């Protein structure tokens, strides 16, 4: 039996899948005969945590098949971390092959939580996308989705070097793992039931793995939403998801998307010209609001929680500069907006000035920010501020002379604004792709778009459809208030 669980935003796909897991457990199916495969590490962890909440009798180790498809291949094949290509390996290969970024800066390779690799070099982008699509690099090169500066001979040379590098260092990448699993399928465990979440984002090579998994289980559930398929840029095959024969189950009640936001999102969906599965769902009980703004100054970011969504990392960096200039505390996928180590030492200094003693390790950390040298051997294990020649009236701002003045000013201003830096940030800044699956009461969608994307979609219907899906995903992260930050030049932004 194959069933597709089709869930628009906020309709509870993961909740529904876990309810089905429970139904199989009630039938007496052992937990190690249930496979639950998520698209990202975060989603797999969430599913595992929810299972443990519902079933405290299980330990994490017993939920060994609650993981990503890549992790399943990794463990099934008996691989070790040192066997797997990491971003630093690709960067090393780039240096050896004299490959730089598209703007001639240092090559950067990043592993996303879904196993896809992103790069600021089109050469690596082509090779990675051809690999997950399981096509020759020449076929990917000939899609005309890349800049004219791309040299096929250099691309071919890099592909040869990559193969040689992996063989020499006995390494495999994520796509190699899946190909190896398919080739050595006899090593695979068998299941009574398999669940695959976010199946609309599976790549062609992952769909080949799905075909193998079909022979390893009695039942299989595919959960997803073709309207939220936003990883075709990385090789995802949403058309296979749409065409896959299955019994369809439609989830029809969103607990997230307000009525006003749903109306806007439906306008965006109506622009998709290619194949899609028709779905209807009811919005949440919240009416919701929508407002267009022309600057971050038009909203009060000093209170409430916010999610700010942007299309590209370049735009993210620009918004990040604005948030920092406003002395706002925010979070990106890189972490908190301030220097966490400096802030930890500020807290310890504050304890010190209030009469608490610090241990030697805490003092040594603080000493790195002070313009004095101390003989650690003369200090004990419990140290007062007077022991090192300072007094309780001295502020951390004045004492930490070796800390970045810009960072000190930023932290001091945030504290003056009442920001609680020891708590989670109220503001999250993210690209739309990274935020997929998230939600917030107040969402700002920055409508600016990159020239490269605008040019790429101009004469390509499939890419236009994916672009509409990206903005649909952005809008539907909203649980209450939606704000569109307009582009200064309207033609440079997405038109709502």
């Amino acid at each position: 039996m194959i069933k597709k669980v089709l869930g628009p935003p906020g309709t509870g796909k993961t909740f529904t899948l876990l309810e089905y897991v429970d139904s199989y457990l009630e039938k007496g199916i052992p937990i190690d005969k249930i496979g639950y495969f998520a698209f990202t590490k975060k989603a797999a962890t969430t599913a595992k945590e929810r299972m443990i909440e519902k079933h405290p009798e299980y330990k994490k180790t017993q939920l060994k098949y609650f993981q990503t498809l890549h992790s399943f291949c990794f463990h099934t094949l008996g691989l070790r971390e040192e066997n797997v290509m990491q971003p630093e390996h690709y960067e090393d290969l780039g240096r050896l092959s004299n490959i730089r970024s598209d703007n001639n800066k240092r090559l950067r390779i990043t592993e996303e939580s879904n196993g896809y690799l992103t790069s600021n070099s089109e050469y690596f982008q082509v090779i990675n996308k051809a690999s997950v699509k399981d096509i020759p690099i020449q076929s990917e090169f000939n899609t005309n989705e890349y800049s004219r500066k791309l040299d096929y001979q250099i691309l071919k040379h890099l592909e040869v070097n990559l193969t040689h590098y992996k063989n020499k260092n006995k390494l495999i990448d994520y796509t190699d793992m899946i190909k190896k699993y398919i080739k050595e399928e006899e090593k695979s465990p068998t299941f009574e039931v398999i669940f695959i979440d976010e199946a609309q984002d599976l790549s062609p090579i992952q769909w080949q793995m799905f075909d193998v998994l079909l022979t390893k289980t009695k039942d299989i559930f595919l959960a997803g939403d073709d309207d939220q398929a936003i990883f075709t840029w990385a090789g995802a095959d949403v058309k296979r998801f749409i065409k896959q024969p299955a019994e369809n189950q439609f989830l029809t009640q969103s607990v997230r998307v307000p009525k006003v936001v749903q109306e806007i999102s439906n306008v965006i969906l109506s622009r998709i010209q290619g194949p899609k599965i028709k779905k209807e769902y009811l919005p949440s009980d919240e009416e919701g609001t929508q407002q267009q703004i022309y600057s971050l100054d038009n909203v009060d970011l000093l209170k409430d929680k916010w999610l700010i969504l942007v299309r590209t990392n370049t735009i993210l960096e620009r918004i990040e500069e604005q948030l920092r200039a406003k002395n706002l505390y925010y979070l990106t996928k890189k972490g908190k907006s301030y220097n966490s180590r400096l802030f930890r030492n500020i807290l310890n200094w504050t304890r010190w000035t209030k009469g608490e003693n610090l241990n030697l390790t805490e003092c040594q950390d603080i000493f790195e920010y002070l313009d004095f040298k101390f003989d650690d051997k003369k200090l004990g294990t419990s140290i007062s501020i007077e022991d090192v020649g300072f007094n309780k009236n001295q502020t951390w701002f004045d004492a930490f002379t070796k800390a970045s003045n810009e960072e000190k000013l930023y932290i001091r201003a945030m504290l003056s604004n009442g920001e609680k830096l020891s708590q989670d940030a109220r503001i999250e800044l993210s690209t739309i792709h990274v935020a997929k699956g998230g939600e917030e009461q107040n969402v700002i969608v920055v409508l600016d778009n990159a020239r490269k994307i605008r040019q790429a979609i101009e004469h390509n219907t499939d890419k236009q459809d994916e672009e509409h899906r990206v903005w649909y995903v952005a809008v539907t992260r909203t649980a209450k208030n939606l704000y569109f930050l307009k582009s200064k030049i309207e033609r440079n932004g997405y038109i709502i």
Side-chain angles (χ1 to χ4, degrees), residues 116-127:
Y116 286 132
L117 290 174
T118 58
S119 169
N120 58 357
S121 165
E122 282 194 314
Y123 288 101
F124 279 101
Q125 291 170 21
V126 173
I127 290 173

Side-chain angles (χ1 to χ4, degrees), residues 134-157:
D134 198 26
I135 61 174
I137 61 164
Q138 186 168 10
S139 299
E140 182 61 29
F141 176 81
N142 289 336
T143 59
N144 295 320
E145 294 180 9
Y146 306 94
S147 69
R148 294 178 181 178
K149 295 178 181 179
L150 204 65
D151 186 307
Y152 179 71
Q153 294 305 317
I154 294 176
L155 180 64
K156 186 67 180 174
H157 182 66

Side-chain angles (χ1 to χ4, degrees), residues 210-354:
F210 166 81
D211 291 333
V212 172
L213 288 171
L214 274 177
T215 69
K216 306 295 180 183
T217 185
K218 293 180 181 178
D219 298 333
I220 195 161
F221 289 75
L222 293 171
D225 179 9
D226 54 296
D227 295 331
Q228 298 183 71
I230 62 174
F231 284 95
T232 57
W233 63 270
D237 186 1
V238 63
K239 291 180 181 179
R240 168 67 193 267
F241 175 76
I242 293 171
K243 294 176 182 176
Q244 176 61 46
E247 173 191 341
N248 288 344
Q249 176 185 353
F250 295 92
L251 305 182
T252 57
Q253 177 64 63
S254 178
V255 296
R256 177 201 306 155
V257 182
K259 181 180 178 182
V260 167
V261 174
Q262 187 196 40
E263 290 171 353
I264 296 167
S265 68
N266 284 341
V267 171
I268 297 173
L269 284 185
S270 69
R271 299 170 181 171
I272 296 175
Q273 302 175 54
K276 58 182 175 179
I277 301 171
K278 186 178 179 181
K279 297 175 289 295
E280 294 181 357
Y281 72 97
L282 297 172
S284 70
D285 294 334
E286 185 75 52
E287 180 69 18
T289 68
Q290 180 271 134
Q291 182 180 341
Q292 295 193 2
I293 59 175
Y294 297 88
S295 165
L296 293 180
D297 292 331
N298 297 150
V299 292
D300 186 1
L301 293 172
L302 287 172
K303 62 181 183 181
D304 300 326
K305 299 186 74 173
W306 297 82
L307 175 61
I308 304 176
L309 296 174
V310 299
R311 185 64 179 85
T312 68
N313 284 315
T314 301
I315 299 169
L316 184 144
E317 289 169 3
R318 192 184 75 226
I319 299 297
E320 190 169 4
E321 289 176 1
Q322 294 179 33
L323 293 176
R324 195 173 173 93
K326 296 176 185 298
N327 297 313
L328 292 166
Y329 168 35
Y330 60 92
L331 180 76
T332 68
K333 72 174 185 178
K334 294 178 181 178
K336 295 179 178 181
S337 58
Y338 60 81
N339 184 316
S340 297
R341 185 166 179 267
L342 173 58
F343 182 64
R344 184 179 69 246
N345 281 286
I346 290 170
L347 293 178
N348 284 339
W349 178 272
T350 304
R351 287 171 49 210
W352 228 5
T353 58
K354 290 182 178 178

Side-chain angles (χ1 to χ4, degrees), residues 453-465:
I453 295 173
R454 299 197 308 271
Q455 292 174 341
I457 69 174
E458 194 170 355
H459 303 294
N460 187 317
T461 301
D462 284 346
K463 286 201 165 294
Q464 288 172 11
D465 285 351

